[in-house]
């Protein structure tokens, strides 16, 4: 949402306290490429969409009723 990448080793850091993206940018690039390719293969090209920061309802039950 913010455009900042975060990479965590969930086995060693389940609380997501140690962001590894800056320490290993090649790994972050590889993971980002694989994630985007996965979503594109499912029919969702995330690079073609603008993402607004904040809550984006996925299901009608999550929408705020007026």
């Amino acid at each position: 949402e913010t455009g900042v990448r975060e990479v965590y080793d969930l086995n060693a850091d389940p609380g997501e306290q140690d962001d590894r993206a800056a320490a290993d940018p090649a790994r972050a690039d590889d993971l980002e490429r694989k994630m985007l390719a996965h979503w594109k293969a499912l029919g969702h090209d995330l690079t073609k969409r603008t993402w607004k920061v904040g809550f984006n309802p996925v299901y009608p039950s999550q929408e705020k009723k007026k």
Side-chain angles (χ1 to χ4, degrees):
E1 290 179 338
T2 64
V4 177
R5 293 190 308 190
E6 297 177 4
V7 177
Y8 299 97
D9 179 348
L10 296 179
N11 290 322
D13 179 24
E16 298 181 358
Q17 300 299 308
D18 182 25
D19 182 2
R20 306 298 303 150
D24 193 352
R27 180 73 172 143
D29 290 343
D30 184 51
L31 290 169
E32 181 177 29
R33 182 187 55 75
K34 287 177 179 178
M35 185 225 24
L36 292 173
H38 169 75
W39 283 104
K40 190 172 185 177
L42 295 174
H44 303 286
D45 188 351
L46 302 182
T47 63
K48 302 288 184 195
R49 181 173 173 187
T50 302
W51 297 91
K52 294 179 184 176
V53 175
F55 182 69
N56 232 349
V58 176
Y59 303 104
S61 62
Q62 293 175 317
E63 293 179 22
K64 291 183 180 178
K65 302 296 180 196
K66 293 181 181 182

